[in-house]
């Protein structure tokens, strides 16, 4: 017997209601039936994004909407800032560079969040028209202070663009209230869908800036997507995924966004307590990340053996390190459709695997520490 448990920061487990919707035959997108589903989805997305802006949907992985943000907001000679603390922050640099734009880059040591005052100072000093950054840096398990970013940029000319792909639905993000101009998201993380949809929500100020952008674009042209939004977009929408998104949004509405975020915070706190009780060290002690916990591999433990044994023996998929952290850390996702029992079982499996690989620990110490956090309902 084999069960698949995705304790990874994307893709994440998909609830049965969502899977059932995915199993229905696709309907045509120029029909009243699809239109009404799309409008319901759009209302739901506004709730999850905490915005009154249109949320544009692309059939693509999350990176597609990142590219859409770049090509719709930037011109070749623009001054832009990327504030990064990991692999996904660096992706903004790669996208911009591939269009010939050389951003100013604020690099923060991996494992730490970006200090808002540093971001603000660099944006002002460099005269940045657009600032690109990340809500939750999935490669390191760090949540950035996006409200702080919006605060330091208030009254300035910079547009703030946030990759919230792994943070949306797991971490508080009040786009309109905080004044975040652009938020980008993807389907296979907190939204509990398979990969294949990306989202972008832009303020009126950002749409105004977008009018003047001169980077080349066709598929990613946001004005064209917005103009034809009511038809499902300019091109064939990912009909099945949108029908399924209607179901996952219903689940989020039923639980309530605040409770969804609270559940993520609790699972994250329990995970941090558990791995430390096992004698492991957090990679990002100040990461405060609701979506993923990153952990140093102990001396002498092979990361690929660990993730392989977790998967093959116990059906628990966790993630290794990315970029310069490959072979140095592993990452436990607690994102999307994950509950307390999923987590406790996975932590129990982790203890058994570590013991088998020769790491000395007492069985149950980590699970117990997690249980204690969960019983307190605490967020330690
Ligand atoms: C998953 C992820 C992405 C993008 O991923 P795709 O593979 O393109 O869907 C971008 N940024 C962050 C922070 C992510 O976690």
């Amino acid at each position: 017997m084999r069960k698949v448990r995705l304790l990874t920061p994307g893709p994440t487990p998909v609830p049965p209601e969502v899977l059932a919707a995915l199993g229905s035959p696709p309907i045509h997108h120029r029909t009243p039936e699809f239109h009404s589903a799309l409008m319901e989805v759009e209302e739901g997305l506004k709730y999850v994004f905490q915005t009154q802006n249109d949320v544009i949907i692309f059939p693509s992985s999350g990176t597609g909407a990142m590219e859409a943000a770049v090509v719709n907001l930037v011109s070749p000679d623009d001054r832009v800032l990327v504030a990064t603390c990991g692999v996904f922050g660096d992706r903004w640099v790669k996208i911009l560079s591939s269009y010939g734009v050389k951003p100013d880059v604020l690099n923060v040591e991996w494992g730490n969040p970006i200090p808002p005052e540093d971001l603000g100072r660099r944006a002002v000093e460099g005269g940045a028209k657009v600032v690109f950054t990340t809500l939750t840096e999935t490669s390191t398990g760090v949540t950035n202070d996006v409200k702080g970013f919006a605060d330091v940029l208030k009254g300035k000319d910079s547009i703030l663009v946030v990759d919230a792909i792994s943070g949306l639905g797991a971490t508080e993000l009040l786009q309109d209230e905080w004044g975040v101009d652009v938020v980008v998201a993807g389907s296979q993380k907190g939204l509990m869908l398979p990969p294949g949809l990306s989202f972008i929500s832009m303020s009126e100020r950002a749409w105004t800036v977008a009018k003047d952008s001169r980077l080349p674009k066709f598929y990613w042209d946001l004005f064209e997507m917005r103009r034809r939004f009511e038809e499902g977009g300019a091109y064939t929408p990912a009909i099945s995924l949108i029908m399924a998104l209607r179901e996952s949004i219903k689940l989020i509405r039923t639980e309530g966004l605040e409770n969804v975020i609270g559940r993520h915070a609790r699972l994250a706190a329990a995970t941090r307590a558990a791995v430390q009780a096992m004698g492991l060290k957090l990679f990002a002690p100040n990461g405060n990340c609701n979506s993923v916990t990153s952990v140093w591999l102990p001396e002498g433990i092979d990361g690929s053996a660990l993730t392989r044994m977790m998967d093959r023996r116990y059906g628990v998929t966790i993630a290794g390190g990315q970029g310069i952290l490959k072979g140095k850390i592993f990452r436990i996702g607690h994102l999307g459709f994950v509950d307390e029992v999923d987590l406790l079982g996975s932590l129990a499996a982790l203890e058994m695997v570590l013991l088998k690989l020769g790491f000395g620990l007492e069985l149950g110490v980590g699970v117990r520490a997690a249980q204690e956090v969960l019983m307190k309902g605490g967020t330690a």
Side-chain angles (χ1 to χ4, degrees):
M1 193 197 85
R2 180 165 168 79
K3 280 195 184 181
V4 178
R5 299 175 188 82
L6 293 175
L7 276 276
T8 49
T12 62
V14 178
E17 295 88 337
V18 179
L19 287 174
L22 285 167
S24 302
I27 57 174
H28 197 277
H29 56 295
R30 315 280 189 223
T31 56
E33 194 185 351
F34 182 74
H35 182 260
S36 101
L38 184 66
M39 293 304 113
E40 189 182 330
V41 160
E42 182 66 7
E43 276 315 300
L45 287 171
K46 288 180 177 177
Y47 168 64
V48 180
F49 278 69
Q50 294 285 295
T51 188
Q52 291 306 314
N53 301 330
D54 296 324
V55 183
I56 305 288
I57 308 171
F58 282 108
S60 78
S61 85
T63 306
M66 294 175 74
E67 181 155 348
V70 166
V71 297
N72 283 278
L73 290 165
V74 177
S75 295
D77 42 358
D78 278 347
R79 293 174 173 196
V80 303
L81 172 67
V82 174
T84 172
C85 58
V87 167
F88 293 101
D90 289 356
R91 186 163 295 177
W92 286 122
V93 179
K94 289 188 178 165
I95 299 169
L96 285 156
S97 306
S98 70
Y99 283 96
V101 178
K102 283 205 179 60
D104 181 23
V105 183
L106 170 61
N107 269 301
V108 171
E109 195 188 350
W110 289 22
N112 292 310
I114 300 159
E117 50 296 351
D118 291 4
L119 177 142
R121 192 178 335 110
R122 278 287 273 273
V124 171
E125 278 170 10
K129 179 167 129 190
V130 188
V131 176
F132 295 93
T133 190
T134 318
L135 171 60
T136 48
E137 178 48 75
T138 320
S139 63
T140 60
V142 166
T143 298
N144 281 308
D145 179 5
V146 167
K147 179 175 189 303
F149 299 162
D151 284 345
V152 294
L153 295 178
K154 209 148 268 165
K156 310 281 191 301
D157 292 330
S158 311
I159 294 280
L160 176 62
V161 181
V162 174
D163 164 3
I165 294 175
S166 66
L168 190 86
T171 299
E172 186 177 57
L173 174 61
L174 307 177
Q175 180 173 9
D176 290 0
E177 193 179 316
W178 294 353
V180 180
D181 295 291
V182 181
V183 172
V184 171
S187 55
Q188 80 276 25
K189 313 241 172 163
L191 289 172
M192 306 181 287
L193 289 176
L197 294 179
S198 70
F199 309 93
I200 179 167
S201 146
M202 302 218 299
S203 67
E204 273 317 310
R205 190 165 89 122
W207 282 105
T208 305
V209 167
K211 277 200 197 103
D212 302 326
S213 84
R214 283 179 288 103
L215 285 185
K217 52 196 155 283
F218 179 77
Y219 189 74
W220 303 116
D221 184 337
L222 284 170
F223 284 99
E224 191 60 15
M225 284 302 276
R226 182 161 78 160
R227 192 173 69 77
R228 302 186 60 190
F229 183 78
E230 299 241 339
E231 303 163 61
Y235 317 106
T236 312
I239 296 161
S240 303
L241 285 168
I242 287 171
M243 300 308 279
L245 177 55
R246 178 163 67 162
E247 299 308 315
S248 65
I249 283 173
K250 272 187 208 156
L251 294 172
I252 293 173
R253 277 198 192 275
T254 303
E255 189 175 352
L257 186 58
E258 274 184 29
N259 297 326
V260 172
I261 292 169
R263 168 167 53 81
H264 283 85
R266 242 179 2 263
L267 294 178
T271 306
R272 290 192 291 266
V275 293
Q276 292 181 94
M278 290 179 207
L280 302 170
K281 279 199 354 225
L282 294 174
F283 172 72
N286 305 319
N288 196 27
C289 185
N290 287 355
S291 308
V292 58
T293 299
S294 55
V295 185
W296 284 109
L297 276 165
E299 271 296 310
I301 303 289
D302 172 17
S304 50
L306 176 88
T307 51
R308 193 170 50 243
M309 203 183 286
M310 284 291 284
D311 182 43
R312 291 292 130 80
R313 177 69 180 82
Y314 297 107
V316 179
T317 312
I318 58 172
Q322 294 172 285
I324 53 171
L325 294 175
K326 203 172 162 70
K328 299 211 164 74
I329 65 166
F330 66 93
R331 294 172 299 143
I332 303 169
H334 23 74
L335 180 55
F337 187 57
V338 177
D339 71 4
E340 299 185 352
V341 173
D342 294 331
L343 183 69
L344 291 169
S346 303
L347 292 170
L350 177 62
E351 290 183 349
M352 293 188 277
V353 168
L354 283 168
L355 199 59
K356 266 203 196 121
L357 291 175
F359 181 72
L361 62 77
E362 191 191 328
L363 284 178
V365 284
V367 173
R368 183 194 178 105
Q371 287 171 315
E372 282 167 358
V373 171
L374 295 174
M375 287 201 68
K376 274 190 305 204
T379 51

